[in-house]
Amino acid sequence: MEYIKQKLLKKGEEERLVVKRLISEFGSTVLESVNIDQVLTGMKGITGLLTVTSKLNPNTGITYRGYTIPEIQQKLPKVRPEGEPLSEGLFYLFLLNEIPTKVEVDALSREWVSRSELPEHVMEIMDAMPLTSKPMTQFSTAILAMATESKFQKAHRDGLHKNDYWNTTFEDVMDLIARLPVVAAYIYRRNYKDGKFIPPDPNLDWAANFAHMMGYDSDEVYRLFRMYMMVHADHEGGNVSAHATHLVGSALSNPYYSYAAGMLGLAGPLHGYANQEVINWIFEMQEEIGTSDTEEEERAKIEAYVRKTISSGQVVPGYGHAVLRVTDPRFIAQQLFAQKYVENDSLVNTVNLLYDIVPPILQSLGKIKNPWPNVDAFSGSLLMHYGIKEHFFYTVMFGVSRSLGVLAQLVWDRMYNLPLERPSSETLEFFKQKAGI
Ligand code: CMX
């Protein structure tokens, strides 16, 4: 991987100077003013972070290093021309801002397999966890347990120049990304299958290997996993999992601690846990409304169920977004995937029907800023279709894919020598005074 490091350093040294110059020469340039409601509603819309891997436009959705999801699907190397892009290529793009060749992507696949062996104590710690503990508890515990391997932490302890932080961070990030699917697949095997560990296949790419280690070996599931990893990989810097990873990393905590923090944020119902909630909610709805004789009757029953969810003070999972103001292009990518490869699946049909029914109801509330579906509204129905029915595991899958973007960003955080994150906070008195109340 020396050539990746050399490229990274070349770009990094140039960009690091730009960041330095922005701080020293243009530090007092005003970006925007901040309103009270922005502070009190989760810092929405306040530009407070530097993130290079991706950018979220409220009206057009995510771009990865400037490329939309359809462009990514078209431009990144694939196993077959009509297939889905390889995750290795996406990581390469996040890291180096270049579309890699298939040869470069294959080298990364081999590198990740070569780094994928878990330390013995990590397996033992996973084996010691009760099966009653949530998959995300097991996942984040295993990530923390892997911190014994941190090359960054060791180098830092031994006295590391800050301009070299990126180097051992890159090494940790590569190890971590290589091992996350192994950890996740083992959690899956222990919780839902025979508990036997399936080793990675050195001939498979990262996403396909994840499916393989979970026990799914077909070109169709490999293709699904490649698409799944791609759509969940990054969503600029302010979302909870990305921001938590960055924030903890800013204290120079090692990449394992940083990513574990991100995963604990992903586990929340307003973030990545929503992908399980969508399936839970649909199943509960189906149980309550039963079968219908006509589509009209079914629509009326679903509508009533959606209204009941809202009136009981709950959110409709998979709908709404803190930034997006349109249907999430990641939802659309999955819908197109289903149109292409999935024939007449009743759960997928229900998800499509909900897309018709839910937004007008949410819109009619008059308070929700975005009534459209997000990435989580579709993903579960696809996994179910391909036989991965254990929906309590779905957030772990989201967690594996999110590593591609936020850990590439962590390398850049260290390359730029970004300092400790420390915004200020104010008391209620301050806001009352500002408002004159
Ligand atoms: N169903 C019902 N009400 C909703 C809603 C939904 N899906 N989404 C938002 N609202 C409500 C909010 O609860 C809020 O109500 P109050 O003013 O009474 O508190 C109001 O609409 C305004 O909220 P908002 O500004 O539009 O949304 P936020 O930026 O505060 O929150 C999000 C965004 C995603 C947390 C929210 O839309 C939500 O809870 N959605 C459902 C959970 C979900 O799908 N999360 C996954 C997001 C994608 C991801 O990170 O994976």
Side-chain angles (χ1 to χ4, degrees):
M1 288 293 101
E2 269 316 301
Y3 83 98
I4 288 196
K5 279 196 188 177
Q6 277 165 20
K7 277 188 173 212
L8 190 56
L9 185 59
K10 190 165 178 296
K11 285 171 195 276
E13 279 180 330
E14 282 166 25
E15 292 186 26
R16 185 192 284 159
L17 289 178
V18 177
V19 172
K20 220 171 164 179
R21 201 170 152 224
L22 283 168
I23 298 169
S24 60
E25 284 180 47
F26 302 94
S28 57
T29 304
V30 176
L31 295 179
E32 62 209 358
S33 59
V34 175
N35 300 340
I36 285 183
D37 71 337
Q38 290 182 292
V39 177
L40 299 185
T41 60
M43 298 195 278
K44 305 274 165 53
I46 301 174
T47 303
L49 294 161
L50 167 62
T51 302
V52 295
T53 47
S54 65
K55 174 71 194 146
L56 181 57
N57 179 309
N59 300 312
T60 51
I62 193 68
T63 47
Y64 295 154
R65 288 282 192 179
Y67 297 106
T68 62
I69 297 263
E71 285 167 347
I72 289 287
Q73 285 173 304
Q74 198 209 336
K75 286 181 191 297
L76 284 183
K78 305 173 187 110
V79 175
R80 291 191 196 87
E82 74 285 2
E84 293 292 327
L86 291 161
S87 306
E88 288 83 344
L90 188 52
F91 177 72
Y92 191 105
L93 175 67
F94 284 142
L95 196 68
L96 294 174
N97 195 15
E98 275 175 37
I99 301 279
T101 63
K102 178 73 167 47
V103 172
E104 286 165 330
V105 158
D106 288 345
L108 209 41
S109 286
R110 287 193 299 275
E111 181 71 23
W112 282 347
V113 171
S114 77
R115 290 174 183 249
S116 65
E117 194 176 335
L118 298 184
E120 216 172 298
H121 74 273
V122 176
M123 297 294 284
E124 286 166 8
I125 284 171
M126 284 197 283
D127 283 335
M129 305 260 320
L131 294 179
T132 46
S133 54
K134 297 266 184 294
M136 280 303 277
T137 310
Q138 298 178 41
F139 188 53
S140 42
T141 302
I143 294 170
L144 272 183
M146 288 193 284
T148 48
E149 310 306 294
S150 175
K151 293 163 183 156
F152 170 79
Q153 190 163 295
K154 183 175 179 315
H156 188 263
R157 210 183 296 125
D158 292 346
L160 186 62
H161 192 285
K162 66 178 183 179
N163 284 349
D164 295 329
Y165 286 170
W166 69 273
N167 194 333
T168 41
T169 297
F170 172 78
E171 290 296 334
D172 279 356
V173 160
M174 291 288 282
D175 288 343
L176 193 41
I177 294 178
R179 292 168 191 172
L180 287 172
V182 186
V183 165
Y186 187 55
I187 292 169
Y188 182 79
R189 302 286 312 166
R190 270 189 80 232
N191 282 256
Y192 308 113
K193 302 292 171 187
D194 59 9
K196 287 202 185 103
F197 175 78
I198 301 177
D201 177 343
N203 299 312
L204 287 176
D205 57 278
W206 184 77
N209 237 327
F210 184 17
H212 161 73
M213 289 184 285
M214 282 172 64
Y216 296 89
D217 278 302
S218 70
D219 283 346
E220 287 74 23
V221 178
Y222 294 168
R223 182 173 57 206
L224 171 73
F225 271 53
R226 290 178 192 126
M227 188 276 296
Y228 188 101
M229 296 296 124
M230 186 265 300
V231 295
H232 291 86
D234 207 22
H235 222 219
E236 73 168 40
N239 68 79
V240 172
S241 50
H243 190 188
T245 304
H246 165 80
L247 171 66
V248 173
S250 84
L252 293 187
S253 299
N254 69 56
Y256 297 87
Y257 291 178
S258 308
Y259 200 58
M263 291 303 93
L264 294 173
L266 188 75
L270 299 187
H271 194 14
Y273 185 82
N275 68 4
Q276 315 179 18
E277 288 274 272
V278 167
I279 299 299
N280 269 337
W281 181 84
I282 292 177
F283 284 175
E284 281 169 17
M285 174 184 83
Q286 285 173 334
E287 200 175 314
E288 186 166 314
I289 69 179
T291 52
S292 305
D293 293 330
T294 63
E295 196 189 313
E296 209 183 353
E297 186 190 340
E298 188 187 6
R299 288 179 78 98
K301 284 183 182 171
I302 292 178
E303 214 176 295
Y305 192 83
V306 172
R307 289 188 192 284
K308 191 178 127 185
T309 300
I310 296 165
S311 62
S312 61
Q314 293 167 47
V315 292
V316 181
Y319 281 79
H321 200 273
V323 180
L324 281 166
R325 296 297 173 255
V326 290
T327 296
D328 192 334
R330 302 172 301 171
F331 175 93
I332 293 170
Q334 295 178 87
Q335 194 180 42
L336 290 172
F337 186 95
Q339 279 165 16
K340 206 163 156 190
Y341 300 115
V342 176
E343 250 177 65
N344 206 18
D345 178 290
S346 74
L347 187 57
V348 169
N349 292 345
T350 302
V351 167
N352 281 323
L353 188 58
L354 285 166
Y355 183 28
D356 219 26
I357 295 173
V358 173
I361 300 177
L362 290 178
Q363 214 147 21
S364 71
L365 300 175
K367 62 175 183 177
I368 181 168
K369 297 191 190 72
N370 177 45
W372 305 106
N374 58 56
V375 66
D376 299 318
F378 220 105
S379 55
S381 63
L382 282 174
L383 292 170
M384 283 271 169
H385 175 81
Y386 286 94
I388 302 152
K389 294 181 189 285
E390 300 82 5
H391 51 282
F392 295 113
F393 183 72
Y394 291 173
T395 312
V396 176
M397 296 191 61
F398 193 157
V400 172
S401 51
R402 189 47 50 116
S403 65
L404 297 170
V406 307
L407 290 179
Q409 179 59 42
L410 191 64
V411 177
W412 278 100
D413 293 348
R414 299 273 160 89
M415 183 67 89
Y416 294 146
N417 286 329
L418 293 184
L420 180 79
E421 189 179 312
R422 184 34 172 111
S424 62
S425 61
E426 288 293 350
T427 62
L428 186 58
E429 279 314 307
F430 168 88
F431 293 104
K432 279 165 63 187
Q433 263 175 29
K434 284 280 173 194
I437 57 172

